[in-house]
Amino acid sequence: MTTLLLQPEPLSAQAFAPYGEVIELSADNEIRTINEGNCDRHHDLASLDTRLEGGSTAISIFVSKPVNLPFRIETMERHPLGSQLFLPRSGHPYLVVVAVGDDLEAANIRAFIASPLQGVNYFRNTWHHYCLPLEGESEFFVVDRVGSGNNCQEQTLPRDITVLLERH
Amino acid sequence: MTTLLLQPEPLSAQAFAPYGEVIELSADNEIRTINEGNCDRHHDLASLDTRLEGGSTAISIFVSKPVNLPFRIETMERHPLGSQLFLPRSGHPYLVVVAVGDDLEAANIRAFIASPLQGVNYFRNTWHHYCLPLEGESEFFVVDRVGSGNNCQEQTLPRDITVLLERH
């Protein structure tokens, strides 16, 4: 039996770069002042990748139940045909759990804590856990692929490995 | 001199149908329960129309200054090459001012008040005013077209017509 304790790290664009993009207000964005000076447009912040095999881009709203820590990571998923973007609107932080690699391996899993003002865009094929809001039921705008084809793969960790997401 | 007083109406999918779509949680949506029962996905709520003339879909964040009422409507815009979607995340209501017709005419202008939980997707070529948040500076996730071509047309009302957006 192996137990891995996973400490959530603060989410930043740099730390998250192997997995996807962080969507947030930042002085590093391209900022265009529009609307007669009444609006700053932080321009084109995500690389949407939804058009493989005739796919198209969909806007959905997810309403997700919160989790309590510690939380055991058992199964993760990835989308081989498209990116998937989450933009929170409920004012709660949430946990982002990801892994690189072709197969899901416990040693590759990392966890980040996203602020209520940070969105994430998982690259196509990035292993990730489903959305784990903290503090309360949370809503997310989601931008992902719709279309034919199998766009969801799941893998479950071996039963003798426990990955436990700890309190941050 | 003509003065038109414009009363904002409550925003609803039905009333807004000639201009675009309302993006909101609703029992009328296709709702899929996912993530082992921990999430309701309100599925595919908008008709994105961003791919004319080689365009693609961009995610941006707008940070918009609030307006005080009464507010004079002078110039409106439309996007001939793509839809434009606004999803609020700041908890403030905002005003949505639109018009049908090939040319902007004062008599065609209507105003809606959107709740902080309602997004709007302007159809391609719908005349609309730039974003008019109430109560405080407001942030919106915006989904629209990027690409070459002229995707913004503006028209200004005749100087002898005053369209005044009234307090709701």
Side-chain angles (χ1 to χ4, degrees):
Chain A
M1 292 290 294
T2 306
T3 299
L4 291 174
L5 299 177
L6 204 55
Q7 289 279 358
E9 309 162 47
L11 182 67
S12 70
Q14 193 177 2
F16 197 64
Y19 313 101
E21 299 163 309
V22 177
I23 315 302
E24 62 187 332
L25 298 180
S26 162
D28 294 336
N29 295 337
E30 178 186 339
I31 302 173
R32 301 177 176 181
T33 299
I34 57 174
N35 299 348
E36 302 169 6
N38 291 303
C39 178
D40 283 339
R41 177 183 172 123
H42 290 244
H43 181 69
D44 198 4
L45 305 179
S47 307
L48 303 183
D49 176 10
T50 58
R51 290 161 62 174
L52 272 187
E53 297 188 17
S56 59
T57 307
I59 305 292
S60 301
I61 304 176
F62 283 20
V63 184
S64 292
K65 291 181 187 157
V67 294
N68 292 311
L69 299 184
F71 179 85
R72 185 174 176 179
I73 303 296
E74 294 182 72
T75 299
M76 289 171 59
E77 64 190 47
R78 65 176 181 179
H79 305 301
L81 298 180
S83 58
Q84 188 176 42
L85 188 154
F86 288 77
L87 300 165
R89 75 161 178 192
S90 292
H92 299 303
Y94 61 104
L95 293 165
V96 174
V97 180
V98 287
V100 292
D102 194 43
D103 280 308
L104 177 63
E105 292 183 40
N108 288 341
I109 299 174
R110 284 174 72 187
F112 297 93
I113 180 161
S115 90
L117 297 177
Q118 292 179 309
V120 292
N121 187 32
Y122 299 112
F123 291 142
R124 185 162 59 84
N125 265 330
T126 292
W127 290 109
H128 59 279
H129 198 278
Y130 66 71
C131 210
L132 299 172
L134 300 169
E135 296 182 5
E137 186 173 87
S138 297
E139 296 170 13
F140 297 84
F141 299 115
V142 174
V143 185
D144 61 5
R145 176 190 183 275
V146 288
S148 58
N150 175 17
N151 192 23
C152 193
Q153 296 175 344
E154 287 190 337
Q155 277 193 16
T156 298
L157 292 169
R159 295 182 74 176
D160 59 350
I161 297 181
T162 300
V163 176
L164 215 53
L165 203 52
E166 289 192 307
R167 228 170 274 274
H168 50 285
Chain B
M1 291 291 295
T2 306
T3 298
L4 291 174
L5 299 177
L6 205 55
Q7 289 279 358
E9 310 162 47
L11 181 66
S12 69
Q14 193 177 4
F16 197 64
Y19 313 100
E21 298 163 309
V22 177
I23 315 302
E24 63 186 333
L25 298 181
S26 162
D28 294 336
N29 295 336
E30 178 186 341
I31 302 173
R32 301 178 177 182
T33 299
I34 58 173
N35 300 348
E36 302 169 7
N38 291 303
C39 178
D40 283 338
R41 178 183 172 122
H42 290 245
H43 182 69
D44 199 3
L45 305 178
S47 308
L48 302 184
D49 176 10
T50 57
R51 289 162 63 175
L52 271 186
E53 297 187 18
S56 59
T57 307
I59 305 293
S60 301
I61 304 175
F62 283 20
V63 184
S64 292
K65 292 181 187 157
V67 294
N68 292 310
L69 300 183
F71 179 86
R72 185 174 176 180
I73 304 296
E74 294 182 71
T75 299
M76 289 172 59
E77 64 189 48
R78 65 176 181 179
H79 305 301
L81 298 180
S83 57
Q84 188 176 43
L85 188 153
F86 288 78
L87 299 166
R89 74 159 177 194
S90 294
H92 300 302
Y94 60 104
L95 293 164
V96 174
V97 180
V98 287
V100 293
D102 194 43
D103 280 307
L104 177 63
E105 291 182 41
N108 287 341
I109 298 175
R110 284 174 73 187
F112 297 93
I113 180 161
S115 91
L117 297 177
Q118 291 178 310
V120 292
N121 187 32
Y122 300 112
F123 291 141
R124 186 161 59 84
N125 264 330
T126 292
W127 290 110
H128 59 279
H129 198 278
Y130 66 70
C131 211
L132 299 172
L134 300 169
E135 296 180 5
E137 187 173 86
S138 297
E139 296 171 14
F140 298 83
F141 299 115
V142 174
V143 185
D144 61 6
R145 177 190 182 276
V146 287
S148 58
N150 176 16
N151 192 24
C152 193
Q153 296 175 344
E154 289 191 335
Q155 277 193 16
T156 297
L157 292 168
R159 295 183 71 176
D160 60 348
I161 296 181
T162 300
V163 176
L164 215 55
L165 202 53
E166 289 193 306
R167 228 169 274 275
H168 50 282

